Amino acid sequence: MKTKRSARTTLTICMLIGLAGLNALLVIGAMAHPRQQSDWKQWTANEVKQVLGNSPWVSHCCSTYLDGDVPIEYEAAIVSSQTVRKALVRDMQLNKGYEKLDPALRQKLDQRISECLNEKYDDYIVIGFSFFTPALTPVNQIHLLTSDGRKIVGQPVNDSIGRKCGELPKGENWIAVMRFDSEIAFPRYVDGKPTITPTDKLIRIELDFYKKFYHTRTGGEFDFSIDKLIYQGKPDF
């Protein structure tokens, strides 16, 4: 009898430990994926940092070196996504300067934020880059590669999403708290054909100038896994 009771006790303890471990994993998972939270206004600074630096909406590639020994990695983000836009806004709200704004200026800023978050990007997918400057890098050297091999050239965005969603005013000047220098808008349809189809697995942005400079056929690509670009149960890009 003691043996059976001990076995049942051991089994019960194992089940409780297993459930505790599962709950811990669920909690960690929720913390690790702020994009699944319903109220983005509750995102912490660390959660915002993760969205803007290490999430499916951000891609890295092409390590280069400054002064021969300092590695620099290019970065790109899908700034047309609700996830990134909300993270940019939340990043700004967590900045101490936001709380110090006078009521009138803060109201004006909140109006701009609302317009940014409510704007639709049904015709374009907008990518923000940490390195791209139109004056230095021809826009036709950066393109969206479709699954049928077409190279889609975009247009530089003058009315920056990053600025609308992620900059604080200070007097007549603007202080950037965003991390993406410039943006390119790629059309979702060209000649009536979608540039990103329902069966595509990746959104790929290619850097021709990188491939030409390094004489390589591989590398120089930003990849975004479409099945991971989900916010509140819906595709978000």
Side-chain angles (χ1 to χ4, degrees):
M1 295 293 292
K2 289 183 179 180
T3 301
K4 292 183 178 179
R5 186 176 301 166
S6 297
R8 286 197 298 268
T9 301
T10 301
L11 179 61
T12 300
I13 292 173
C14 289
M15 290 176 65
L16 290 174
I17 291 173
L19 287 172
L22 178 60
N23 287 332
L25 287 174
L26 290 173
V27 170
I28 292 172
M31 293 173 61
H33 299 286
R35 62 185 183 278
Q36 301 299 345
Q37 295 186 18
S38 58
D39 189 3
W40 59 272
K41 295 179 182 178
Q42 300 302 315
W43 288 354
T44 65
N46 285 335
E47 288 170 332
V48 168
K49 182 179 179 181
Q50 182 189 2
V51 170
L52 297 179
N54 186 27
S55 75
W57 287 268
V58 180
S59 183
H60 304 83
C61 89
C62 324
S63 293
T64 58
Y65 292 84
L66 291 180
D67 299 327
D69 57 2
V70 181
I72 297 294
E73 194 171 45
Y74 295 161
E75 189 174 58
I78 304 176
V79 294
S80 53
S81 71
Q82 278 285 323
T83 305
V84 171
R85 281 187 278 165
K86 288 178 177 178
L88 286 168
V89 170
R90 183 61 179 150
D91 190 39
M92 179 175 58
Q93 290 177 339
L94 291 169
N95 187 293
K96 293 181 180 179
Y98 179 80
E99 297 295 336
K100 295 179 180 179
L101 294 175
D102 67 75
L105 190 54
R106 184 167 174 173
Q107 183 178 9
K108 182 178 179 181
L109 181 61
D110 288 342
Q111 177 62 32
R112 193 193 73 199
I113 288 172
S114 177
E115 291 173 357
C116 181
L117 294 180
N118 290 325
E119 191 166 351
K120 303 297 183 183
Y121 291 92
D122 298 332
D123 297 327
Y124 293 92
I125 176 173
V126 184
I127 308 294
F129 298 95
S130 64
F131 63 90
F132 169 66
T133 303
L136 300 177
T137 305
V139 69
N140 62 3
Q141 293 292 305
I142 302 174
H143 60 261
L144 185 153
L145 183 66
T146 67
S147 55
D148 60 0
R150 290 176 292 155
K151 293 186 176 184
I152 308 301
V153 176
Q155 295 294 328
V157 176
N158 295 322
D159 191 16
S160 166
I161 294 173
R163 177 173 179 175
K164 288 186 292 185
C165 280
E167 286 189 338
L168 281 171
K170 185 178 181 181
E172 295 181 357
N173 300 316
W174 291 87
I175 306 300
V177 295
M178 62 182 182
R179 59 192 297 156
F180 309 111
D181 298 330
S182 299
E183 301 167 7
I184 298 178
F186 296 95
R188 295 182 185 269
Y189 291 87
V190 174
D191 297 330
K193 297 175 63 177
T195 55
I196 303 169
T197 70
T199 59
D200 285 347
K201 304 298 183 182
L202 291 175
I203 297 173
R204 171 165 289 181
I205 306 297
E206 286 197 334
L207 308 179
D208 278 354
F209 69 88
Y210 182 90
K211 293 176 180 292
K212 291 177 181 177
F213 183 82
Y214 288 99
H215 304 287
T216 179
R217 293 184 179 180
T218 59
E221 299 155 350
F222 292 108
D223 286 336
F224 303 90
S225 297
I226 292 177
D227 64 343
K228 296 180 180 179
L229 301 176
I230 304 296
Y231 178 63
Q232 295 184 359
K234 298 179 181 179
D236 181 34
F237 53 88

